[in-house]
Amino acid sequence: MNVLENIKNGLIVSCQAEEGSPFNTPKGVGDFARCAELGGAVGIRSCGVEKSRYIMQNTSLPVICLTKSTFEDGFVRITGSFEEVETLLKINATFIAVDGTYRIREKTYTGPDYINKIKKMYPEILVMADISTPQEAVACYEAGADCVSTTLNGYTSDTQSVNHNQPSFSVLQECIRLLPHGFPIMAEGRFNKPEYAAQAIEKGAWAVIVGTSITRPQIITQWYVDAIKQTIEQSHLS
C-alpha cells in the first residue's frame, strides 16, 4: 500500500511553531509529532529543513515537508523555488508540499507550471499542491500533482476576504466536484474542531490536515482568554 493510501480517511497533524514560541526548535516540533503519532495521526506536515529532518528521524509516520517564504505582496509562499525543493530532497524528503497558486515564482512559473517542472525533474517524489481556489486545484492536477490541499484558501490576496472563523467547505466540495473521483484532496485551513474534520471526511476529503488547534498552545490559550474577556464585556454592557 502506498503513502497516499495509508493516509486515507486519517488526520495529518501540521507540526509547526511560530516565532517566539518555546516549541520553535527541531525537538519542540518533534515532540508534537511524537504526540500526534501516539494520538493516532496518520501523517505529519513539517516546515523547515532541520525540523523536518528531526521529525523524519523520530517518527515512523510519513512526513510532508515544506519550506516557507513570502511573495512580494507579503502573503505566504510554500516551497517556492527549485532551490528549496532540492534542499528538502537532500534530507531524503519523499513527500513535499508546494505552492500551487497562480502567483508567479522563479520569474515566470505559475504554481501549476512549477509543479509540472518539479514532477519532470523528480518523478519519484510525491507533490502536494497547496491551492487557494478550485480552479488552481484542477490546473495542479493537470500539471501532475499527486494530491491537492485547500491550505491557502483565505491566505492569498485574492481569497483573503473569506470567513476566517470556519473552514471553506464550499471550496473543498467544489474541488471534489471538479477533480476525478478518487484523486486525493486534503482538507486544510481552519479545520480547528473535531466536528469540522469529521464533516470534511463525510463530504469526501481524502484526509484532514490540522495544525493550529493541536500544536499552537499560545494561540489556543488566546482563544480561551478572548472568549472569557468577550463574555465579561458583554455582561457589563447588559
Side-chain angles (χ1 to χ4, degrees):
M1 189 177 291
N2 66 29
V3 171
L4 289 170
E5 287 295 330
N6 285 338
I7 65 176
K8 188 174 183 180
N9 292 328
L11 174 69
I12 297 165
V13 177
S14 181
C15 295
Q16 302 180 41
E18 65 273 19
E19 283 293 325
S21 168
F23 294 99
N24 192 25
T25 65
K27 185 180 185 303
V29 294
D31 287 346
F32 278 142
R34 291 172 63 196
C35 288
E37 184 172 15
L38 290 172
V42 298
I44 303 296
R45 185 171 157 115
S46 171
C47 178
V49 173
E50 293 307 318
K51 292 170 184 171
S52 296
R53 189 204 311 268
Y54 186 93
I55 291 173
M56 287 191 291
Q57 291 173 345
N58 289 276
T59 180
S60 63
L61 298 177
V63 180
I64 303 160
C65 302
L66 61 103
T67 59
K68 279 186 181 178
S69 56
T70 57
F71 282 97
E72 291 182 359
D73 61 6
F75 284 90
V76 66
R77 181 175 76 170
I78 307 296
T79 318
S81 71
F82 296 117
E83 182 179 357
E84 290 169 62
V85 172
E86 290 164 3
T87 300
L88 292 174
L89 295 181
K90 287 178 181 177
I91 62 167
N92 298 317
T94 58
F95 196 168
I96 65 171
V98 304
D99 195 299
T101 66
Y102 285 136
R103 297 172 293 180
I104 301 298
R105 79 293 315 265
E106 296 281 25
K107 297 183 179 179
T108 60
Y109 289 91
T110 65
D113 295 335
Y114 176 58
I115 288 168
N116 183 259
K117 181 73 170 179
I118 291 171
K119 290 298 292 184
K120 287 180 178 177
M121 293 169 66
Y122 310 107
E124 70 282 4
I125 65 171
L126 291 174
V127 171
M128 173 182 288
D130 287 350
I131 56 89
S132 66
T133 68
Q135 292 72 30
E136 290 168 348
V138 172
C140 289
Y141 160 75
E142 292 174 345
D146 298 284
C147 58
V148 301
S149 179
T150 58
T151 317
L152 292 172
N153 181 258
Y155 304 100
T156 67
S157 59
D158 292 335
T159 64
Q160 62 182 318
S161 62
V162 303
N163 184 353
H164 280 256
N165 294 319
Q166 62 185 34
S168 295
F169 281 108
S170 60
V171 172
L172 172 64
Q173 289 177 286
E174 186 67 0
C175 288
I176 292 168
R177 186 185 73 82
L178 292 173
L179 292 169
H181 178 72
F183 181 75
I185 301 166
M186 315 296 170
E188 183 177 9
R190 304 179 298 283
F191 287 87
N192 51 24
K193 297 179 181 179
E195 54 265 37
Y196 287 160
Q199 289 173 40
I201 294 296
E202 184 179 31
K203 292 177 185 298
W206 188 270
V208 183
I209 302 174
V210 177
T212 298
S213 60
I214 297 177
T215 60
R216 301 286 182 94
Q218 180 178 340
I219 294 174
I220 298 165
T221 301
Q222 191 66 54
W223 290 346
Y224 282 86
V225 171
D226 290 346
I228 292 170
K229 286 181 178 178
Q230 185 176 6
T231 297
I232 292 171
E233 290 171 0
Q234 289 174 345
S235 64
H236 285 170
L237 287 173
S238 61

